[in-house]
Amino acid sequence: MQHSHISRRSVLAGAAGLAAGAAGLGVGRASATPRVATAADRFTAITHVTVIDATGAPAQRDMTVLLRGDRILAVEPSRRVGVPPGAQVVDGRGKFLIPGLANMHNHTFDGELIEPPLNIANGITTVREMSANADVTQWRREIAAGTRLGPRYTIGSPIVDGSPSLWEGLGAPYIAVATPAEGRATVRAQKDAGADFVKVYTRLSRASFFAIADEARRQRIPFLGHVSDFVQLTEASDAGLASVEHLFQVFYDLSSREDELRRAITSVPIAGGEYNGWLNKMHPYEYAAARSVDRHKAAGVFARLARNRTRVTPTLVLHTFTDLPGDTPLTDPRYAYVPAATQGFWQFALELIYLNGRTPEQDARGREIYERRLRLVYDLDRAGVPLLAGTDNGTAYLVPGFSLHDELARLAQAGLTNMRVLQTATLEPARYLGARDRGTIERGNVADLVLLDADPLRDIRNTTRINSVVVRGEVIDPAARQRMLDDVRQAAAAQPPAPAPVAARCPC
């Protein structure tokens, strides 16, 4: 339904921009020289919808969200706002509007025909790419130029690990840093190369880790990633680590046995390329740390992280896999969106990296550790530590796009309210990125939106009930979204299987 008027309040809310745009479309005083409307003049109205703006405010029912070009012009009760003539109208009756989602820990492997459309079809409009990737860098340029549809990308450096590195000889891109001077030089080189942040990794020495932290501060580039085996979580937070990726090293700081366990883990011999060995050798120490959490000590650690605004990206979908690899579903209809070569690598990684050398005792301990990780995430949230939703796509059996919704379900399983879960993929990523015009549904913000057929505040799994996606003001309606998914499925099926795995993919 369309209306030929715009209310006085909406005009004031939109300021002069609405008046100018309406004039360009022939609304109001006639112009002597008609002007051709541009994309920036385009009006879209999502009418009679329930708005979940992700600010933490209650859902607002029977609202109209008016867009002009790629911006939100008004968010008003439907009875107060009209729809400009010629506007595209999306009927939101019985539907729920949320901000576009963010995946804050991603590794891209499957190419332009797979990953950008799978992200958009799943409502993901922002992606933090955790390792340098020439393809993604090119996509970002094309997306900015308007020649490709895809999410906004923030792209990091290659993995910056110690020497020897866990990924030595395994094919994953990494930089091995043996000295503090090499660490500082790496930070400068990555900034010059255009990295948005420096990604630090597990086996960095203490001296190299803190040299990188200091140089990153000097160069004004964020550094983030894994907490080194040789550095306390609280030390890393105080040094400016912007976000902690995964939960592998968190329990040690909380343990009543911390000193004893740190002496043990720092003396464990780890050879280059021994990622599987690292998983197996560190397992008993992490288990001991998880079982000896001192609640009073933990409260102090959490308060320190919250005070420093150190984000944590739990990647529970990754930990489901690393803690419980034997439970990995080997069949899933969503695997049809992934090329056979990738599925072949998944099987290789599961058998050679994650199940290789694993004992029944580890399986039992892994189940307990995972349950403790869920409680840890709940405690972090309760203590005010900002959490970011991320998946570690690139790890075996995680399907691009879809896996973010799996992560949201696990965050709800951990005990977060559905609003807080939603904020880990909307408001919190925007705050982390310093993007004041994203992450919530408010006037003036970028029009990245997801229209759902069911209420995510009632059941967070309803984020999968996607009707339409709005990307910078462009509406991907149900038919167009289905075409995107069909095209991805066909592209995946058309790619030949690889004869053997040629490169490692990692929880990194």
Side-chain angles (χ1 to χ4, degrees):
M1 181 184 298
Q2 296 186 1
H3 302 276
S4 60
H5 69 281
I6 304 173
S7 75
R8 176 179 175 82
R9 177 170 178 171
S10 296
V11 171
L12 293 175
L18 176 56
L25 289 172
V27 180
R29 188 177 62 185
S31 171
T33 305
R35 180 170 60 87
V36 176
T38 67
D41 295 320
R42 181 185 64 238
F43 287 96
T44 302
I46 305 172
T47 61
H48 302 291
V49 71
T50 296
V51 173
I52 301 171
D53 63 17
T55 65
Q60 305 170 73
R61 301 190 181 281
D62 197 16
M63 303 291 286
T64 288
V65 178
L66 187 62
L67 315 178
R68 181 180 179 222
D70 64 354
R71 295 280 167 172
I72 298 172
L73 187 59
V75 183
E76 296 280 353
S78 294
R79 68 181 183 277
R80 296 182 185 173
V81 61
V83 178
Q88 178 181 5
V89 178
V90 177
D91 187 352
R93 288 182 176 85
K95 296 178 175 56
F96 301 81
L97 194 67
I98 63 172
L101 302 171
N103 184 348
M104 295 299 285
H105 194 120
N106 185 77
H107 295 275
T108 295
F109 290 99
D110 283 323
E112 63 182 347
L113 299 180
I114 306 294
E115 302 220 12
L118 275 188
N119 277 311
I120 294 301
N122 278 280
I124 299 169
T125 57
T126 297
V127 171
R128 187 172 65 169
E129 185 71 17
M130 297 302 293
S131 185
N133 187 306
D135 288 341
V136 178
T137 300
Q138 178 62 29
W139 301 343
R140 177 165 68 176
R141 286 193 289 265
E142 294 168 356
I143 290 165
T147 59
R148 176 183 296 278
L149 181 66
R152 299 171 189 266
Y153 284 99
T154 298
I155 307 170
S157 71
I159 296 165
V160 181
D161 201 6
S163 181
S165 168
L166 291 182
W167 293 102
E168 188 175 298
L170 295 180
Y174 72 95
I175 299 169
V177 167
T179 67
E182 289 181 3
R184 290 182 182 276
T186 296
V187 172
R188 294 192 295 270
Q190 290 306 309
K191 181 180 180 181
D192 290 345
D196 294 316
F197 58 88
V198 174
K199 167 69 181 297
V200 294
Y201 207 66
T202 307
R203 298 299 291 176
L204 278 168
S205 69
R206 281 183 64 82
S208 294
F209 183 92
F210 288 113
I212 289 170
D214 182 65
E215 193 63 30
R217 183 168 53 251
R218 290 170 181 267
Q219 298 297 326
R220 297 185 178 180
I221 183 172
F223 87 108
L224 58 100
H226 292 213
V227 179
S228 165
D229 285 339
F230 308 102
V231 176
Q232 288 180 298
L233 170 63
T234 47
E235 290 180 306
S237 174
D238 289 346
L241 191 72
S243 68
V244 177
E245 301 306 302
H246 321 304
L247 302 173
F248 288 113
Q249 284 96 348
V250 175
F251 284 122
Y252 296 112
D253 274 61
L254 317 181
S255 172
S256 61
R257 300 173 56 190
E258 181 181 6
D259 291 345
E260 166 200 345
L261 293 172
R262 286 201 179 278
R263 284 193 298 271
I265 65 173
T266 55
S267 64
V268 172
I270 303 291
E274 199 181 2
Y275 185 78
N276 168 264
W278 180 82
L279 282 174
N280 288 329
K281 290 176 181 179
M282 295 299 178
H283 174 83
Y285 303 113
E286 188 186 20
Y287 179 68
R291 299 198 86 200
S292 57
V293 169
D294 180 317
R295 306 300 296 176
H296 178 74
K297 187 179 181 186
V301 171
F302 298 154
R304 200 153 153 188
L305 296 178
R307 183 171 62 251
N308 291 339
R309 300 302 291 168
T310 304
R311 273 72 174 183
V312 175
T313 314
T315 62
L316 287 170
V317 286
L318 162 71
H319 287 296
T320 306
F321 182 66
T322 58
D323 293 337
L324 309 168
D327 291 355
T328 302
L330 301 181
T331 60
D332 185 320
R334 299 176 301 179
Y335 295 166
Y337 296 105
V338 178
T342 295
Q343 295 186 51
F345 173 80
W346 287 353
Q347 183 177 355
F348 165 83
L350 178 63
E351 295 173 358
L352 272 295
I353 297 178
Y354 299 100
L355 291 178
N356 185 25
R358 193 173 177 89
T359 66
E361 183 181 27
Q362 277 180 275
D363 288 337
R365 288 178 172 179
R367 201 166 300 281
E368 182 179 342
I369 288 175
Y370 182 73
E371 292 300 321
R372 291 179 182 274
R373 293 197 205 282
L374 294 176
R375 178 58 187 265
L376 172 60
V377 169
Y378 175 79
D379 289 342
L380 287 164
D381 181 64
R382 284 288 299 272
V385 178
L387 302 180
L388 303 175
T391 63
D392 206 2
N393 281 338
T395 303
Y397 298 96
L398 295 179
V399 181
F402 293 98
S403 62
L404 181 72
H405 299 279
D406 298 337
E407 179 70 10
L408 300 183
R410 283 161 177 75
L411 291 169
Q413 182 187 9
L416 275 64
T417 67
N418 289 340
M419 175 59 78
R420 284 297 299 138
V421 172
L422 191 62
Q423 288 177 327
T424 69
T426 54
L427 176 68
E428 294 295 353
R431 284 176 172 172
Y432 164 83
L433 294 168
R436 297 178 180 273
D437 60 353
R438 278 183 273 162
T440 58
I441 301 177
E442 299 178 86
R443 182 168 62 89
N445 279 9
V446 173
D448 287 344
L449 306 164
V450 188
L451 187 64
L452 304 174
D453 285 327
D455 185 357
L457 298 184
R458 182 178 294 274
D459 185 338
I460 199 63
R461 292 172 296 183
N462 286 335
T463 61
T464 65
R465 301 277 301 278
I466 297 173
N467 177 280
S468 302
V469 180
V470 182
V471 186
R472 292 176 289 284
E474 180 178 346
V475 178
I476 313 298
D477 65 20
R481 179 175 177 270
Q482 187 58 55
R483 285 194 299 272
M484 291 177 71
L485 291 170
D486 291 343
D487 289 346
V488 171
R489 186 190 294 264
Q490 292 173 16
Q495 294 189 26
V502 295
R505 308 181 186 194
C506 57
C508 48

